[in-house]
Amino acid sequence: MSEIKNHKKLFIPGPTEVRKEILEEMSHHMIGHRTEEFSSLFGQIKPKLQRLFYTQNDVLVSTSSGSGFMEAAIRNCVSKKVINCVCGAFSQKWYKIALSCGKQASKIEVEYGKAIKPQMVDEALKTGEYDAVCVTHCETSTGVFNPIEKISEIVKKYPDVLFLVDAVSSMGGTKIEVDKLGIDICLASVQKAMALPSGLSVASVSQKAYERAKTIDSRGYYFDLLELQKTYEKNQTPYTPSISHLYALRKQLDYIVDEEGLENRFKRHRQMADFVRNWAVENEMKMFSELGYESDTVSCISNTKGFDLKSIKQELLNKGYLADTGYRTLNEKLTQEGKPTTFRIAHMGDMQMTDIQDYLNEIETIFKRGK
Amino acid sequence: MSEIKNHKKLFIPGPTEVRKEILEEMSHHMIGHRTEEFSSLFGQIKPKLQRLFYTQNDVLVSTSSGSGFMEAAIRNCVSKKVINCVCGAFSQKWYKIALSCGKQASKIEVEYGKAIKPQMVDEALKTGEYDAVCVTHCETSTGVFNPIEKISEIVKKYPDVLFLVDAVSSMGGTKIEVDKLGIDICLASVQKAMALPSGLSVASVSQKAYERAKTIDSRGYYFDLLELQKTYEKNQTPYTPSISHLYALRKQLDYIVDEEGLENRFKRHRQMADFVRNWAVENEMKMFSELGYESDTVSCISNTKGFDLKSIKQELLNKGYLADTGYRTLNEKLTQEGKPTTFRIAHMGDMQMTDIQDYLNEIETIFKRGK
């Protein structure tokens, strides 16, 4: 693996850096997926995932990216019509997925950078048109945390509406109390704040969600929650999963839940987020995300000073860092000087405060020289 | 990884043994999936996959098991009605997947252990009812190779019919000339004869298949071939793939295509298959699969001598081998003495003749002692 010399430290919002001992688990030899050895492995993972999700619900595992579970949520939970809360590229993607599955879908839409407000959800649900609502907890493209706690209070008023939450880039970086919030499906990718190699996703599924699935035909096979449930009970999967990822997941969950501990982990993320936000202000830049709704896992900063982000990215690359120059579609509208309008700094996963400090120092040096 | 001591050598029909240098590739550090580094990696994989598939078609990669591409084939290629050729558990599963996707589907069915004959396909297609036919090349549950060369001659007579082939457990173990046979979708799992860790699947897609997909709504997102095509052209994937698997795949393709060489690889599989079949006859057992249609990658043997396969499996386990005691549903009907009616010996992947010889010697010793 000669590329190891060229390794760039990742400050993009996923994949994030994976610790060496977790990468090593990926090299585990293969085992039969219909053996007791496999069931024992999966059986050890399940309760730890439940602790991470603060839930008694099943937490299913899918060999797919988070997009797979986004599709699963739609296929299995939308019978009548879904309302998608759109505030950026990934929440927009979920809306498109709903349409691609042939479902009836509408959207609540706010300007990119803004958060979805609970009353908007209330207005929509009041119409009685919908039986599911999709909320993206962390909108990765704009660095916004949507207020899922407050939204959950609204959704609870509508017992026939399923609450579907995309926690792709927040799970493992902030507390999401699935049972307390009454989230019917909470889905996450492992290559973000959970700091695992990409290729697996996880989702909690409530009894209500399973019941809804039973009323829907044409759920398909690969993302059929009832197929996944059937084998989950036996510590199995319906088809051969990525066994390598399950070994890595087991080890990383031990670290997240027991070694570092959930509260410590969330605190560390909050501290890194605060540090980045303060740094932005000190450098006379503005957060792109709405005040009070900034994400704890990824910061999106407006390029108000017109920095030449592309050449800065190249300089950082030469120094061994992979930087982000803003989400693709957000940067389709450039500044007047033809420069990207935003850039993002990910502060999630197993990264420590010192990593963020070093990285920001590097950026600041380049900024200052550029002046 | 303390389990390494307990490693059982796999003689089950997938996952198969993975060589150490391939397992090591799985520990590659993460990279951004929207970087040139990623595109370079994917770009190196594509032509090697095309050589393995004997095709100029795109060979797409999916972070999912082979079941995922089975669903993709159905969703994207069946507009009118599909005919499924069923001769075992996995071909039956494909039929069920078609129904689960809300498609019109019928089946040609033969007794488990038998092969699908070309004229059966001709009879079905003659009706003009169908616009796609699903054939499982290697029916893993029964050790049958269906005659896809002869079937391809039939399918070619019907230009509106797409030819969909499941090569999950044969690709990499025998020659499948996709372009020559006019296969529109040829799908495979990597954890079988390709000898990679489970968690990824690959599929060639013809222009005709893409054209069909364009006429079909509600293809969904995760398995939408047109989404996959769009990014494939740019050496990208629509969503974050399993990067670890792609590193392993690149290395293993170098081995399969260039180091060992395709012809050598297929010859080795044929030799191992012949050896197992002869061994079965020498031990006065019968092949479960129809004469002349035996698979080169997995042998299914009738337990005509009433061996106590469960205790033999346990003995083999103690000696460090993971044996198969027949496919689940096949063994639901047991022999009169309550014993499994079949067992399978996988001879696929990177396993060598000596591995098979050692394994069969072990079994023979147990057999003889049991007498």
Side-chain angles (χ1 to χ4, degrees):
Chain A
M1 290 188 295
S2 62
E3 287 92 349
I4 201 81
K5 281 177 276 176
N6 296 318
H7 175 47
K8 308 299 178 199
K9 214 162 162 176
L10 304 174
F11 285 87
I12 54 172
T16 58
E17 284 297 308
V18 180
R19 291 175 302 122
K20 193 165 170 288
E21 63 183 274
I22 302 303
L23 288 174
E24 282 169 2
E25 285 294 304
M26 293 293 287
S27 310
H28 200 287
H29 63 80
M30 281 295 103
I31 60 170
H33 62 297
R34 298 288 179 230
T35 59
E36 281 173 28
E37 200 174 353
F38 178 87
S39 296
S40 158
L41 169 64
F42 197 23
Q44 288 165 60
I45 288 169
K46 284 159 58 172
K48 306 247 177 199
L49 278 175
Q50 287 175 316
R51 283 172 62 194
L52 174 62
F53 278 65
Y54 292 83
T55 189
Q56 296 298 314
N57 289 339
D58 292 354
V59 185
L60 307 178
V61 163
S62 172
T63 300
S64 71
S65 77
S67 308
F69 263 134
M70 286 163 82
E71 179 157 345
I74 296 292
R75 286 202 183 282
N76 289 270
C77 300
V78 181
S79 175
K80 214 160 65 175
K81 192 174 181 183
V82 60
I83 180 84
N84 285 82
C85 299
V86 176
C87 62
F90 291 96
S91 40
Q92 169 67 17
K93 180 175 162 179
W94 211 356
Y95 171 67
K96 276 183 64 183
I97 290 175
L99 297 178
S100 79
C101 292
K103 299 288 183 176
Q104 294 289 318
S106 283
K107 50 181 169 174
I108 298 168
E109 209 164 8
V110 296
E111 205 185 330
Y112 279 25
K114 301 283 182 239
I116 300 292
K117 307 302 181 312
Q119 61 270 29
M120 297 174 185
V121 178
D122 206 9
E123 290 301 322
L125 297 186
K126 234 180 247 172
T127 64
E129 273 184 69
Y130 306 101
D131 61 358
V133 56
C134 286
V135 181
T136 303
H137 181 213
C138 178
E139 174 49 68
T140 316
S141 66
T142 62
V144 163
F145 259 10
N146 283 303
I148 50 170
E149 293 82 4
K150 297 262 188 238
I151 293 173
S152 90
E153 290 168 25
I154 301 296
V155 182
K156 280 177 184 169
K157 298 198 298 175
Y158 302 92
D160 294 338
V161 175
L162 292 184
F163 189 23
L164 314 177
V165 174
D166 163 353
V168 161
S169 60
S170 53
M171 182 58 70
T174 192
K175 189 184 275 188
I176 304 173
E177 294 179 280
V178 164
D179 284 355
K180 197 174 139 193
L181 303 185
I183 300 174
D184 292 296
I185 293 197
C186 185
L187 63 97
S189 290
V190 302
Q191 80 278 13
K192 310 268 183 180
M194 291 173 69
L196 280 153
S198 58
L200 199 78
S201 55
V202 287
S204 66
V205 180
S206 72
Q207 198 52 45
K208 220 165 114 184
Y210 284 136
E211 292 304 323
R212 173 71 56 80
K214 287 178 194 164
T215 70
I216 297 171
D217 289 334
S218 310
R219 297 184 305 275
Y221 176 73
Y222 199 81
F223 296 119
D224 181 1
L225 296 181
L226 300 182
E227 284 286 339
L228 285 159
Q229 178 191 32
K230 237 191 300 181
T231 48
Y232 179 88
E233 285 167 5
K234 295 181 269 186
N235 290 335
Q236 295 263 318
T237 53
Y239 27 75
T240 325
S242 175
I243 293 168
S244 322
H245 277 93
L246 294 181
Y247 278 108
L249 177 60
R250 178 177 67 177
K251 187 144 187 110
Q252 178 67 345
L253 283 171
D254 285 347
Y255 178 76
I256 292 175
V257 174
D258 288 321
E259 280 181 58
E260 179 173 29
L262 291 169
E263 294 293 346
N264 290 336
R265 190 171 181 88
F266 303 150
K267 197 171 143 198
R268 175 169 58 76
H269 277 81
R270 169 59 62 88
Q271 285 169 343
M272 294 192 295
D274 282 341
F275 189 82
V276 171
R277 288 175 215 157
N278 288 334
W279 172 87
V281 172
E282 278 163 22
N283 281 274
E284 299 161 25
M285 290 180 294
K286 276 188 179 156
M287 297 298 286
F288 181 71
S289 42
E290 186 175 351
L291 187 70
Y293 298 94
E294 301 92 341
S295 160
D296 278 358
T297 54
V298 53
S299 290
C300 187
I301 300 171
S302 291
N303 186 20
T304 37
K305 300 185 83 176
F307 288 118
D308 186 354
L309 295 173
K310 277 187 191 166
S311 74
I312 291 172
K313 182 180 177 172
Q314 187 54 51
E315 278 199 62
L316 286 167
L317 211 53
N318 298 342
K319 293 188 171 194
Y321 297 103
L322 183 63
D324 170 80
T325 50
Y327 189 76
R328 221 171 350 148
T329 53
L330 255 178
N331 283 336
E332 275 164 15
K333 47 172 188 190
L334 300 169
T335 63
Q336 284 184 332
E337 300 84 29
K339 288 166 187 163
T341 57
T342 61
F343 65 100
R344 295 171 300 175
I345 296 172
H347 31 78
M348 60 170 108
D350 288 344
M351 175 187 293
Q352 301 298 316
M353 183 64 105
T354 49
D355 298 309
I356 281 290
Q357 286 167 335
D358 291 348
Y359 181 62
L360 295 185
N361 283 340
E362 288 290 355
I363 298 182
E364 223 170 292
T365 307
I366 299 171
F367 277 179
K368 282 182 180 154
R369 213 186 38 239
K371 271 181 185 168
Chain B
M1 290 190 296
S2 62
E3 288 92 348
I4 201 82
K5 280 175 278 173
N6 296 318
H7 175 48
K8 309 298 177 199
K9 215 162 163 177
L10 304 175
F11 285 87
I12 54 171
T16 58
E17 284 296 308
V18 180
R19 290 176 303 123
K20 193 165 170 285
E21 62 183 276
I22 302 303
L23 288 175
E24 281 169 4
E25 285 294 303
M26 293 293 287
S27 309
H28 200 286
H29 61 81
M30 282 294 103
I31 60 170
H33 61 297
R34 298 289 178 228
T35 59
E36 283 172 28
E37 199 175 353
F38 179 86
S39 295
S40 158
L41 169 64
F42 197 23
Q44 289 165 58
I45 288 169
K46 284 160 56 173
K48 306 246 177 200
L49 278 177
Q50 287 176 316
R51 283 173 62 196
L52 173 62
F53 278 66
Y54 292 82
T55 190
Q56 297 297 313
N57 290 338
D58 292 354
V59 185
L60 307 177
V61 163
S62 172
T63 300
S64 70
S65 77
S67 309
F69 263 134
M70 286 162 83
E71 179 158 345
I74 296 292
R75 287 201 182 283
N76 289 269
C77 299
V78 181
S79 174
K80 216 161 61 176
K81 192 174 180 182
V82 61
I83 180 83
N84 285 82
C85 299
V86 175
C87 62
F90 291 96
S91 41
Q92 168 67 17
K93 180 175 162 179
W94 210 358
Y95 171 68
K96 276 183 65 182
I97 290 175
L99 297 178
S100 79
C101 292
K103 300 285 184 179
Q104 292 290 317
S106 282
K107 49 181 171 174
I108 297 168
E109 210 164 6
V110 296
E111 204 184 331
Y112 279 26
K114 300 283 181 240
I116 300 293
K117 307 302 179 319
Q119 61 270 30
M120 297 174 186
V121 178
D122 205 10
E123 290 300 321
L125 297 185
K126 231 181 248 173
T127 63
E129 273 185 70
Y130 306 101
D131 61 358
V133 56
C134 286
V135 181
T136 303
H137 181 214
C138 178
E139 173 50 69
T140 316
S141 66
T142 63
V144 163
F145 259 10
N146 283 303
I148 52 171
E149 294 81 5
K150 298 265 187 233
I151 293 173
S152 91
E153 290 168 25
I154 302 295
V155 183
K156 280 177 182 168
K157 298 197 299 176
Y158 303 91
D160 294 337
V161 174
L162 293 184
F163 189 22
L164 314 178
V165 174
D166 163 353
V168 161
S169 59
S170 52
M171 182 58 71
T174 191
K175 188 184 275 189
I176 304 173
E177 295 180 278
V178 165
D179 285 356
K180 196 174 141 195
L181 302 186
I183 300 174
D184 292 296
I185 293 197
C186 186
L187 62 96
S189 290
V190 302
Q191 80 278 11
K192 308 267 184 181
M194 292 173 69
L196 281 153
S198 58
L200 200 78
S201 55
V202 288
S204 67
V205 181
S206 73
Q207 198 52 45
K208 220 166 115 186
Y210 285 137
E211 293 305 323
R212 174 70 56 79
K214 287 179 192 161
T215 69
I216 296 171
D217 289 332
S218 311
R219 298 185 304 276
Y221 176 74
Y222 199 82
F223 296 119
D224 181 3
L225 296 180
L226 300 181
E227 284 286 340
L228 285 159
Q229 178 191 32
K230 239 191 299 182
T231 48
Y232 179 87
E233 286 167 4
K234 296 181 269 186
N235 289 336
Q236 294 262 317
T237 52
Y239 28 76
T240 325
S242 175
I243 293 167
S244 323
H245 277 94
L246 293 180
Y247 278 108
L249 178 60
R250 178 177 67 177
K251 189 146 187 110
Q252 178 67 345
L253 283 171
D254 285 347
Y255 178 77
I256 291 176
V257 174
D258 289 321
E259 280 181 60
E260 179 172 29
L262 291 170
E263 295 293 347
N264 290 337
R265 190 172 182 88
F266 303 149
K267 197 172 143 197
R268 174 170 58 76
H269 277 81
R270 169 60 61 90
Q271 286 169 340
M272 293 191 296
D274 282 341
F275 189 82
V276 172
R277 289 175 216 158
N278 288 334
W279 173 86
V281 172
E282 279 164 21
N283 281 274
E284 299 161 26
M285 291 180 293
K286 277 188 178 158
M287 297 298 287
F288 182 70
S289 41
E290 186 175 350
L291 187 70
Y293 298 93
E294 301 93 342
S295 161
D296 277 358
T297 54
V298 54
S299 291
C300 187
I301 301 170
S302 291
N303 186 21
T304 37
K305 300 184 81 177
F307 288 118
D308 186 354
L309 296 173
K310 278 186 190 165
S311 74
I312 291 172
K313 182 180 179 173
Q314 188 54 50
E315 278 198 63
L316 286 167
L317 210 55
N318 297 342
K319 293 188 171 194
Y321 298 102
L322 184 62
D324 171 79
T325 50
Y327 189 76
R328 220 170 353 149
T329 53
L330 256 178
N331 283 335
E332 275 163 14
K333 46 170 189 192
L334 300 169
T335 62
Q336 285 185 330
E337 300 84 30
K339 287 165 188 163
T341 57
T342 63
F343 65 100
R344 295 172 300 175
I345 296 171
H347 31 79
M348 60 169 107
D350 288 344
M351 174 187 295
Q352 302 297 318
M353 184 63 105
T354 49
D355 297 309
I356 282 288
Q357 286 166 335
D358 291 348
Y359 181 63
L360 295 186
N361 283 339
E362 288 290 355
I363 298 183
E364 223 171 291
T365 307
I366 299 171
F367 277 179
K368 283 182 180 155
R369 212 185 41 238
K371 271 180 187 169

